[in-house]
Amino acid sequence: MTVEYETVKPPESELVIVTGMSGAGRTTVAHALEDLGWYVVENLPPAMLGMLTELMSRSQGGLPKLAVVMDVRSKDLFPEIREALSALTAGGVGYRLFYLDAHDDVLVRRFEQGRRPHPLQADGRILDGIRRERDVTAQLREAAEVVLDSSDMSVHDLARAVNELFSDSGPIILRVNVMSFGFKYGLPTDANYVADVRFIPNPHWVPELRPKTGRDAEVAEYVLEHPGTEEFIVSYLKALEPVFEGYRRENKHYATIAVGCTGGKHRSVATAIELGRRLAQLPNVRVNVTHRDLGRE
């Protein structure tokens, strides 16, 4: 899941804290950041975060971009991390929190393929360890500026996404991913906002439209010209304007808008494409449109 964005000259120093689920790709992200020229520290004890950022401030430009990969595998560590992050904020040190996630079944498969146990599974199953880790990291996920779901990504896809997020020129334009999906396959875990377009009559029940998708002109016309669709799109765009402005004030650069119908083939696809087209016309917004469930039976 990647998107395009414009860039400007980065600030003199940047701090990114990378965390998330074991198996979601933290090591891949660390390597990708190193390739981009970031100074990367993996598995740093929370108590040392302040010392490292102080070193960063004293480096006089020698350490302008610092990434800290934090492995949260214990509830005992979470208070220390929260205290360390609070100390950064109190000291006027800005940072971005980047959380990596993936579906449980994907994480299980990755651990099984690597023939290694989950660090928190103890004598239980891999899934038990994953659930414990979700509990431990839930508040970090909620506080993260960027939550990236790597479920459908190869290591190359993930590295490419990191490159677009943290290139030398640094993100400044709001990057929006508009994703179509099917409710019957579950909600996207990384969606910031979800729009339900099941109020539009389903082209699936029109024989000549059933084999087509929302990418086809006939389906798009059927969906977009239905009474109520245009009003929905206009109103939704209007509602997003103050959201985008708030994101910029909070120094957030990334958002995922998920548009869902029953199967993710007709209505959501056509609406997501049109919504993405209009969002791309807004100032300082770059858009990418993806279709999570297109092609599923």
Side-chain angles (χ1 to χ4, degrees):
M1 181 177 58
T2 56
V3 290
E4 297 178 353
Y5 61 97
E6 292 181 356
T7 58
V8 297
K9 185 177 179 181
E12 293 184 358
S13 63
E14 295 180 88
L15 171 63
V16 170
I17 298 171
V18 181
T19 187
M21 297 296 294
S22 299
R26 290 193 308 256
T27 299
T28 298
V29 169
H31 292 165
L33 288 171
E34 286 180 339
D35 291 341
L36 289 171
W38 288 68
Y39 186 87
V40 179
V41 180
E42 296 192 64
N43 299 331
L44 182 75
M48 296 184 64
L49 183 58
M51 297 171 57
L52 192 61
T53 53
E54 184 178 353
L55 174 64
M56 179 183 179
S57 65
R58 293 180 179 179
S59 64
Q60 297 181 346
L63 194 62
K65 294 182 295 183
L66 172 65
V68 177
V69 182
M70 305 195 77
D71 185 356
V72 187
R73 297 182 179 179
S74 168
K75 289 185 177 179
D76 296 333
L77 276 180
F78 183 77
E80 295 183 25
I81 293 173
R82 183 169 54 189
E83 182 178 344
L85 296 181
S86 296
L88 291 181
T89 302
V93 178
Y95 65 88
R96 285 184 282 166
L97 190 58
F98 180 28
Y99 186 98
L100 281 161
D101 202 353
H103 300 316
D104 287 357
D105 59 329
V106 173
L107 294 175
V108 169
R109 184 170 67 250
R110 289 174 182 174
F111 276 103
E112 289 178 340
Q113 289 174 345
R115 298 183 179 181
R116 58 193 179 95
H118 187 280
L120 290 184
Q121 76 178 77
D123 295 330
R125 302 172 300 164
I126 292 174
L127 191 57
D128 295 329
I130 291 171
R131 288 170 177 168
R132 292 189 186 106
E133 190 172 29
R134 286 206 185 281
D135 289 340
V136 172
T137 64
Q139 293 185 48
L140 287 175
R141 189 186 195 282
E142 184 177 348
E145 173 188 331
V146 176
V147 177
L148 188 61
D149 189 327
S150 67
S151 298
D152 299 321
M153 290 183 174
S154 67
V155 292
H156 304 293
D157 294 331
L158 182 53
R160 191 179 305 115
V162 172
N163 185 70
E164 293 178 352
L165 278 166
F166 302 107
S167 63
D168 284 338
S169 50
I172 189 63
I173 300 301
L174 183 63
R175 299 151 24 81
V176 180
N177 180 46
V178 182
M179 175 198 305
S180 71
F181 74 97
F183 277 97
K184 71 178 182 179
Y185 300 115
L187 289 170
T189 60
D190 55 344
N192 299 103
Y193 293 91
V194 176
D196 184 350
V197 295
R198 289 176 293 184
F199 69 90
I200 303 170
N202 195 346
H204 175 82
W205 304 114
V206 180
E208 61 269 26
L209 298 181
R210 181 177 300 179
K212 299 180 183 295
T213 75
R215 287 174 167 171
D216 293 305
E218 302 92 330
V219 175
E221 181 178 355
Y222 179 91
V223 170
L224 298 177
E225 293 188 1
H226 174 73
T229 303
E230 175 66 16
E231 290 82 356
F232 167 77
I233 292 176
V234 171
S235 299
Y236 199 67
L237 288 171
K238 189 68 175 176
L240 286 173
E241 289 180 10
V243 173
F244 288 174
E245 289 305 312
Y247 270 33
R248 292 189 181 96
R249 287 193 300 269
E250 294 299 317
N251 197 32
K252 295 181 182 292
H253 307 285
Y254 186 92
T256 295
I257 298 171
V259 182
C261 63
T262 302
K265 180 180 179 181
H266 296 110
R267 295 168 290 180
S268 63
V269 172
T271 306
I273 291 172
E274 180 62 17
L275 188 62
R277 185 186 70 82
R278 299 194 194 188
L279 282 170
Q281 297 173 9
L282 297 178
N284 302 322
V285 174
R286 283 297 179 94
V287 178
N288 186 54
V289 179
T290 59
H291 306 291
R292 191 192 70 175
D293 300 322
L294 191 61
R296 294 201 192 198
E297 294 296 331

